[in-house]
Amino acid sequence: MSTSASPATADLITGLLIDRFDVDPDAVRPDVRMTDLLVDSLMVVEMAITLKDELRVDATEDELRELTLAEFAARLDERRLDERRLDESSLDERRAG
């Protein structure tokens, strides 16, 4: 698995961490574990819900506990890309049918 996310995804997550979760901007670095940024269980759950609402992508609590920011952003990038491909494929099928 790649650990490089598009700047847009990494920036979106960084923005959420700083703006919604009041994480110190100096602490938000690609190599930092998400659990070091989301310091309690409630923050982890809230982040998963926020990502679903804001980016329309599922994130598990385990991912938020185990991955670095860079790894997590890359994983979400893959999911967002997969979702776009599915949407485009469904649209193509409707047009053809």
Side-chain angles (χ1 to χ4, degrees):
M1 174 184 72
S2 170
T3 58
S4 72
S6 75
T9 300
D11 290 345
L12 287 168
I13 295 169
T14 297
L16 289 172
L17 289 166
I18 294 168
D19 297 335
R20 291 228 180 143
F21 296 92
D22 296 321
V23 175
D24 178 3
D26 292 331
V28 181
R29 297 183 318 275
D31 61 326
V32 175
R33 289 203 169 286
M34 292 297 292
T35 50
D36 292 335
L37 301 170
L38 302 168
V39 296
D40 63 43
S41 298
L42 182 58
M43 287 178 79
V44 170
V45 172
E46 287 177 6
M47 177 59 105
I49 292 168
T50 300
L51 290 167
K52 180 68 172 174
D53 292 344
E54 297 284 323
L55 302 180
R56 295 186 204 110
V57 65
D58 290 319
T60 69
E61 291 177 39
D62 286 341
E63 290 170 323
L64 286 162
R65 287 186 171 96
E66 296 170 4
L67 301 176
T68 65
L69 174 57
E71 293 166 337
F72 183 68
R75 189 163 296 179
L76 290 190
D77 242 4
E78 291 173 14
R79 287 193 188 132
R80 292 176 77 196
L81 184 58
D82 289 345
E83 194 63 33
R84 270 186 247 133
R85 287 182 186 142
L86 283 174
D87 288 346
E88 290 172 3
S89 176
S90 295
L91 183 61
D92 289 344
E93 287 175 12
R94 283 183 276 185
R95 286 181 183 157

